[in-house]
Amino acid sequence: DILSMGSTFTLPPLLAAAMKTTGLPAKFAADTAQIMCPVIAQTVQVPFHLTALSLYNHPTWTLSQRIESLKELYVPTVFARMARALPCYGAGGVLNTNLQAACMSFAGGR
């Protein structure tokens, strides 16, 4: 959960700030970072996820069995989780940020 929340809420503004220094427009950098971070983070999250499932579902497996299972399941699991993260955390995050800004502007906030 820490990796998911970090890649969804903490990392995108930091990446967007770095992207702006390259000359990209601020909105483009923010939207791109919000879409990319949760999707790319799956490459790091999946080994933890699969290892935890392996420990729970197969407590008697040896380390070599766990590694073989991880090698077999890594790629399809990464793509499945990327496909899930893109609409809900990536596009949903962009939509949420834009909707929040519009509502705050309408209400006289920021």
Side-chain angles (χ1 to χ4, degrees):
D1 285 347
I2 290 172
L3 292 173
S4 293
M5 294 306 106
S7 68
T8 302
F9 301 112
T10 305
L11 196 55
L14 300 174
L15 180 60
M19 291 169 72
K20 284 191 297 188
T21 64
T22 66
L24 290 172
K27 175 126 176 61
F28 178 79
D31 289 351
T32 302
Q34 182 63 55
I35 290 170
M36 285 176 30
C37 286
V39 173
I40 293 171
Q42 297 308 312
T43 60
V44 175
Q45 293 173 340
V46 164
F48 291 106
H49 174 80
L50 291 176
T51 301
L53 286 173
S54 170
L55 289 168
Y56 183 80
N57 291 319
H58 306 285
T60 60
W61 275 9
T62 64
L63 179 59
S64 63
Q65 288 174 306
R66 293 187 200 290
I67 292 171
E68 283 304 312
S69 175
L70 183 60
K71 287 195 291 190
E72 179 183 327
L73 296 173
Y74 179 78
V75 171
T77 305
V78 164
F79 283 120
R81 288 177 60 107
M82 283 179 169
R84 187 192 76 173
L86 181 61
C88 62
Y89 295 118
V94 170
L95 179 62
N96 184 47
T97 300
N98 292 333
L99 186 59
Q100 180 186 22
C103 289
M104 292 298 284
S105 175
F106 179 75
R110 301 182 219 177

